[in-house]
């Protein structure tokens, strides 16, 4: 049986050369090879092209390399969680490229599988598709995405055996599995190295043929950043909770449901076993339960797409990001509930960018908007300046076109019936007159 060399962090970090393309596993700081990244920060290798879902957090993981001026370019799906990354991108200090989260995962998987690229409807008609080849396939506009490979991949696993077989823990799989296949040199940072044979074959998630070197390094609470623990005190105003309660009414027993960040996450707190709803989180979990009540964090629990520790219900399962988005794009998610910045008369959605503001990440929004069977948007009816978010035509950068099925605001509920924006319900505390006054889009009234 193959024996994979076990090396120290400094030796591993020195294998990254100036100008290399570096793949870094992890979702936020969960499943993040933080010790390898920090060793690379100490060495100071520069002009790196960094590829990962997020650029770590401020001063952690890829965020430390960024502060050191070691990154030439960042390629990822969500930089907003690291203010240093947002500033570096918007000031031109570092080049950057945004890809939808599922597109990024699939591009890495394709690169690792020797596939040159693929077409996807995700991002069609948006800013992210500008300059890319498009094609109409089965009457659907699709965007060509080239497969991604790197010179070096730093990944994180929970256990390895001496043959290089890897086992991931809970939602720590995320981008690690695909990245292990997609680089010329793969270095796995692991919590524990055991003799070959101690990981049962059915529990090997990444096979040893993909792994070149192993490094053993223990995770601490400090390494987990914002996912280290979860606060048990959460105050929610009545209007936001009303929106969450109204969204819950739309879900049916047995539905597979994905909840976006913000107001949609409140729906999770309302779901009970009796509802029979299966929550999906795009970073690799089916069967998401409520947040833990003991204050525990990602050392003991999985995390959701908001990087918040959650519990696992009976029958839950874990998987990698590429499989997660295959579920989404393949139509296996019944309903997605997402936040919004604008929805227009044509069922178009804008929810990922405001020009000039520090929002720099699309995450899984474009994939979910296109792939979920039904899309519900929850958002406040108006902006802080009083302007309407339900508009004749979206002005903000589009997430997806002709995808919204239902809009729930603090004032009203709208559906799209026969392609027409239709007011179907007034929310508690509002009135028809207020809805009319605060909505710039034209709509049909069909109140019960």
């Amino acid at each position: 049986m193959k024996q994979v060399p076990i090396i120290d962090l400094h030796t591993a970090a020195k294998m990254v050369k100036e100008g290399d393309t570096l793949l870094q596993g992890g979702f936020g700081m969960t499943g993040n090879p933080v010790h390898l990244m920090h060793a690379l920060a100490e060495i100071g290798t520069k002009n790196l092209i960094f590829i990962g879902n997020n650029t770590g957090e401020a001063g952690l993981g890829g965020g430390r390399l960024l502060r050191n001026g070691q990154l030439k370019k960042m390629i990822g799906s969500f930089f907003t969680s690291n203010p240093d990354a947002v500033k570096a991108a918007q000031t031109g200090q570092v080049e950057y490229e945004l890809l939808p989260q599922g597109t990024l995962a699939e591009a890495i998987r394709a690169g690792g599988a020797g596939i040159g690229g693929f077409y996807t409807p995700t991002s069609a008609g948006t800013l992210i598709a500008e300059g890319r080849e498009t094609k109409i396939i089965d009457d659907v506009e699709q965007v060509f995405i080239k497969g991604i490979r790197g010179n070096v991949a730093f990944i994180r696993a929970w256990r390895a055996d001496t043959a290089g077989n890897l086992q991931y823990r809970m939602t720590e799989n995320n981008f690690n599995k695909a990245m292990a296949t997609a680089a010329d040199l793969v270095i796995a940072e692991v919590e524990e190295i055991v003799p070959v044979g101690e990981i049962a074959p059915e529990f090997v998630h990444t096979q040893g043929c993909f792994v070149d070197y192993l490094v053993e390094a223990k995770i601490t609470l400090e390494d987990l950043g914002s996912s280290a623990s979860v606060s048990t005190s959460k105050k929610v105003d009545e209007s936001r909770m009303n929106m969450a309660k109204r969204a819950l009414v739309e879900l049916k027993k047995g539905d597979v449901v994905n909840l976006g960040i913000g107001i949609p996450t409140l729906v999770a707190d309302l779901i009970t076993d009796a509802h029979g709803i299966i929550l999906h989180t795009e970073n690799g979990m089916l069967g998401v339960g409520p947040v833990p009540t003991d204050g525990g964090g990602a050392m003991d629990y999985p995390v959701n797409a908001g990087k918040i520790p959650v519990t696992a219900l009976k029958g839950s399962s874990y998987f990698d990001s590429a499989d997660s988005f295959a579920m989404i794009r393949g139509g296996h998610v019944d309903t997605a509930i997402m936040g919004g910045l604008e929805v227009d008369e044509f069922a178009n959605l804008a929810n990922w960018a405001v020009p000039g503001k520090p929002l720099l990440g699309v995450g899984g929004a474009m994939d979910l908007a296109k792939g979920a069977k039904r899309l519900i948007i929850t958002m406040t009816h108006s902006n802080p300046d009083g302007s309407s978010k339900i508009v004749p035509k979206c002005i903000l950068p589009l997430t997806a076109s002709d995808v919204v099925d239902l809009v729930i605001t603090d004032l009203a509920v709208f559906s799209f019936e026969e392609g027409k924006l239709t007011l179907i319900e007034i929310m508690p505390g509002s009135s028809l007159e207020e809805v009319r006054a605060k909505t710039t889009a034209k709509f049909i009234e069909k109140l019960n």
Side-chain angles (χ1 to χ4, degrees):
M1 182 63 70
K2 170 186 176 182
Q3 291 282 311
V4 173
I6 301 170
I7 58 177
D8 61 63
L9 288 164
H10 188 265
T11 301
K14 286 179 68 176
M15 294 181 179
V16 180
K17 306 303 181 187
E18 183 169 348
D20 271 357
T21 295
L22 174 66
L23 303 178
Q24 181 228 270
F27 186 86
M29 299 309 298
T30 303
N32 191 303
V34 61
H35 301 94
L36 283 170
M37 297 301 288
H38 290 175
L40 183 56
E42 289 180 13
I43 292 172
T45 309
K46 294 185 179 295
N47 294 318
L48 301 175
I49 298 175
F50 172 93
I51 300 177
N53 187 61
N54 325 79
T55 315
E57 295 184 6
L60 279 177
R64 189 168 295 187
L65 271 64
L66 179 64
R67 282 189 176 179
N68 284 354
Q70 293 173 255
L71 303 187
K72 174 186 177 183
K73 184 175 182 179
M74 308 177 294
I75 300 174
S77 85
F78 197 79
F79 301 132
T80 304
S81 54
N82 185 345
D84 292 343
V86 174
K87 182 178 179 182
Q90 292 187 330
T91 60
Q93 175 187 338
V94 177
E95 299 174 52
Y96 73 95
E97 180 180 351
L98 275 173
L99 288 172
Q101 192 177 134
T103 298
L104 176 64
E106 187 64 16
I108 295 166
R109 191 205 65 80
I115 296 171
F118 58 94
Y119 286 93
T120 175
T122 300
S123 80
T126 74
L127 290 176
I128 286 179
E130 287 187 357
R132 298 186 185 275
E133 178 190 343
T134 61
K135 182 178 288 188
I136 303 298
I137 302 175
D138 294 333
D139 298 322
V140 177
E141 183 181 10
Q142 306 209 26
V143 182
F144 181 76
I145 303 294
K146 188 175 180 294
I148 288 175
R149 287 190 62 88
N151 300 108
V152 181
F154 281 174
I155 63 172
R156 172 84 192 179
W158 191 246
R159 300 175 83 207
D161 66 21
T162 52
N165 295 311
L166 305 181
Q167 180 181 11
Y168 303 106
R169 189 183 72 114
M170 300 187 295
T171 48
E172 294 173 359
N173 191 329
N174 51 67
F175 281 83
N176 285 299
K177 182 179 176 181
M179 286 183 173
T181 71
D184 302 327
L185 183 70
V186 176
I187 303 172
E189 172 189 312
V190 299
E191 187 76 9
E192 179 186 22
I193 301 174
V194 300
V196 67
E198 284 203 17
I199 302 176
E202 60 267 31
F203 296 133
V204 172
H205 301 134
T206 288
Q207 293 70 33
C209 63
F210 295 113
V211 178
D212 297 295
Y213 295 96
L214 295 173
V215 175
E216 189 172 87
K218 307 293 185 183
I219 285 289
T220 68
L221 286 175
E222 289 74 21
D223 298 325
L224 294 172
S226 60
S227 296
S229 63
V230 60
S231 172
T232 56
S233 60
K234 181 166 64 173
K235 294 183 179 179
V236 181
D237 66 66
E238 186 177 3
S239 65
R240 289 168 65 88
M241 188 53 74
N242 284 340
M243 285 185 267
K245 289 176 180 177
R246 181 60 184 80
L248 179 61
V249 172
E250 297 295 319
L251 307 181
K252 303 187 298 295
K253 192 169 187 176
D255 277 355
V256 175
V257 178
N258 184 287
L259 303 177
I261 59 175
I263 296 169
T265 61
L266 301 177
V267 178
D269 297 333
L270 302 173
I271 293 173
T272 66
D273 289 343
H275 288 104
I277 292 163
I278 305 162
L279 291 182
H280 169 276
T281 180
E282 57 260 40
N283 57 307
M285 182 179 179
L286 268 178
V288 179
V291 297
T293 57
D294 59 6
M299 192 75 81
D300 306 299
Y301 295 98
V303 302
N304 64 15
K307 305 177 189 68
I308 297 169
V310 292
T311 53
L313 301 180
K314 289 181 180 179
S316 296
S317 60
Y318 303 113
F319 34 87
D320 78 319
S321 294
D323 280 350
S324 183
F325 281 92
M327 295 175 188
I328 293 168
R329 287 191 306 272
H332 306 290
V333 173
D334 296 295
T335 302
I337 304 176
M338 299 166 58
L341 297 173
E342 285 181 339
V343 173
D344 68 20
E345 296 174 15
F346 307 98
N348 299 327
L349 170 67
N351 78 339
W352 70 277
V354 178
K357 292 194 175 181
L359 295 171
L360 199 69
V362 64
M366 289 186 178
D367 304 276
L368 283 160
K370 282 288 188 181
K373 293 178 184 176
R374 190 164 188 242
L375 180 61
I376 298 172
I377 302 302
T378 57
M379 64 182 185
T380 56
H381 202 94
S382 305
N383 292 300
D385 65 1
S387 59
S388 178
K389 290 185 178 182
I390 302 180
V391 295
K393 188 173 178 60
C394 287
I395 298 172
L396 297 175
L398 284 184
T399 302
S401 302
D402 190 21
V403 291
V404 179
D405 295 291
L406 195 75
V407 184
I408 302 170
T409 77
D410 48 336
L411 303 184
V413 181
F414 295 87
S415 64
F416 287 87
E417 299 185 11
E418 298 180 354
K420 301 289 186 181
L421 180 65
T422 305
L423 174 66
I424 61 172
E425 191 175 323
I426 304 295
M427 290 291 280
S430 182
S431 65
L432 178 57
E433 291 70 25
E434 184 179 18
V435 173
R436 287 171 175 167
K438 294 183 176 180
T439 307
T440 56
K442 293 180 181 178
F443 59 87
I444 297 169
E445 296 174 14
K446 202 172 182 179
L447 299 167
N448 295 330

Short mmCIF file of all heavy atoms in Angstrom, two decimals, residues 15 24 57 87 215 236 238 277 310 312 316 341 383 404 430:
data_model
loop_
_atom_site.label_atom_id
_atom_site.label_comp_id
_atom_site.label_asym_id
_atom_site.label_seq_id
_atom_site.Cartn_x
_atom_site.Cartn_y
_atom_site.Cartn_z
N MET A 15 6.56 24.53 -0.47
CA MET A 15 6.29 23.92 -1.77
C MET A 15 5.47 24.83 -2.68
O MET A 15 5.35 24.58 -3.88
CB MET A 15 5.58 22.59 -1.58
CG MET A 15 6.44 21.55 -0.91
SD MET A 15 5.58 19.96 -0.73
CE MET A 15 6.88 18.98 0.06
N GLN A 24 -7.61 26.56 -1.99
CA GLN A 24 -7.72 26.42 -0.53
C GLN A 24 -9.12 25.96 -0.17
O GLN A 24 -10.10 26.64 -0.44
CB GLN A 24 -7.42 27.73 0.17
CG GLN A 24 -7.49 27.61 1.68
CD GLN A 24 -8.31 28.73 2.33
OE1 GLN A 24 -7.77 29.76 2.68
NE2 GLN A 24 -9.61 28.51 2.47
N GLU A 57 -11.19 34.85 6.92
CA GLU A 57 -11.74 35.99 7.63
C GLU A 57 -10.60 36.98 7.87
O GLU A 57 -9.44 36.69 7.57
CB GLU A 57 -12.39 35.55 8.94
CG GLU A 57 -13.61 34.66 8.72
CD GLU A 57 -14.33 34.30 10.01
OE1 GLU A 57 -13.95 34.83 11.08
OE2 GLU A 57 -15.26 33.48 9.96
N LYS A 87 -12.30 45.53 0.59
CA LYS A 87 -11.52 46.76 0.38
C LYS A 87 -10.44 46.55 -0.66
O LYS A 87 -10.24 47.40 -1.55
CB LYS A 87 -10.90 47.19 1.71
CG LYS A 87 -10.10 48.49 1.61
CD LYS A 87 -9.54 48.89 2.98
CE LYS A 87 -8.73 50.18 2.86
NZ LYS A 87 -8.14 50.56 4.18
N VAL A 215 0.03 16.61 6.64
CA VAL A 215 0.51 17.41 7.77
C VAL A 215 -0.50 17.25 8.90
O VAL A 215 -1.70 17.40 8.67
CB VAL A 215 0.64 18.90 7.40
CG1 VAL A 215 1.01 19.72 8.62
CG2 VAL A 215 1.66 19.10 6.29
N VAL A 236 -35.66 39.31 17.64
CA VAL A 236 -36.18 39.48 16.30
C VAL A 236 -37.42 40.35 16.37
O VAL A 236 -38.32 40.10 17.18
CB VAL A 236 -36.55 38.12 15.66
CG1 VAL A 236 -37.07 38.32 14.25
CG2 VAL A 236 -35.34 37.19 15.67
N GLU A 238 -41.03 42.00 15.32
CA GLU A 238 -42.27 41.31 14.97
C GLU A 238 -42.49 41.22 13.47
O GLU A 238 -42.95 40.20 12.96
CB GLU A 238 -43.45 42.02 15.64
CG GLU A 238 -44.77 41.30 15.46
CD GLU A 238 -45.92 41.99 16.18
OE1 GLU A 238 -45.68 43.06 16.78
OE2 GLU A 238 -47.05 41.46 16.15
N ILE A 277 -40.26 18.87 7.19
CA ILE A 277 -39.51 19.60 6.16
C ILE A 277 -38.02 19.29 6.30
O ILE A 277 -37.48 19.23 7.40
CB ILE A 277 -39.77 21.11 6.30
CG1 ILE A 277 -41.24 21.42 5.94
CG2 ILE A 277 -38.83 21.92 5.41
CD1 ILE A 277 -41.71 22.76 6.42
N VAL A 310 -25.16 24.63 13.68
CA VAL A 310 -26.52 24.11 13.74
C VAL A 310 -26.47 22.66 14.25
O VAL A 310 -25.40 22.07 14.35
CB VAL A 310 -27.21 24.14 12.35
CG1 VAL A 310 -27.45 25.57 11.91
CG2 VAL A 310 -26.38 23.38 11.31
N ALA A 312 -27.92 18.56 13.86
CA ALA A 312 -28.29 17.63 12.80
C ALA A 312 -29.47 16.79 13.27
O ALA A 312 -29.43 16.19 14.34
CB ALA A 312 -27.11 16.73 12.46
N SER A 316 -30.06 12.94 8.93
CA SER A 316 -29.25 13.95 8.23
C SER A 316 -28.12 13.29 7.46
O SER A 316 -27.73 12.15 7.73
CB SER A 316 -28.66 14.93 9.23
OG SER A 316 -29.66 15.66 9.89
N LEU A 341 -33.11 42.41 -2.73
CA LEU A 341 -32.90 43.86 -2.76
C LEU A 341 -33.93 44.51 -3.67
O LEU A 341 -34.39 45.61 -3.40
CB LEU A 341 -31.49 44.18 -3.24
CG LEU A 341 -30.35 43.68 -2.35
CD1 LEU A 341 -29.00 43.91 -3.03
CD2 LEU A 341 -30.38 44.37 -1.00
N ASN A 383 -36.76 50.44 1.07
CA ASN A 383 -35.40 50.73 1.50
C ASN A 383 -35.41 51.73 2.65
O ASN A 383 -36.45 52.36 2.92
CB ASN A 383 -34.60 51.30 0.32
CG ASN A 383 -34.36 50.27 -0.76
OD1 ASN A 383 -33.75 49.23 -0.51
ND2 ASN A 383 -34.83 50.56 -1.97
N VAL A 404 -38.90 34.40 -9.80
CA VAL A 404 -39.58 34.59 -8.51
C VAL A 404 -41.01 34.07 -8.60
O VAL A 404 -41.75 34.41 -9.54
CB VAL A 404 -39.57 36.07 -8.09
CG1 VAL A 404 -40.30 36.24 -6.76
CG2 VAL A 404 -38.13 36.58 -7.97
N SER A 430 -50.55 46.35 8.23
CA SER A 430 -50.50 47.15 7.02
C SER A 430 -51.92 47.37 6.49
O SER A 430 -52.91 46.91 7.07
CB SER A 430 -49.63 46.46 5.97
OG SER A 430 -49.54 47.26 4.80
#
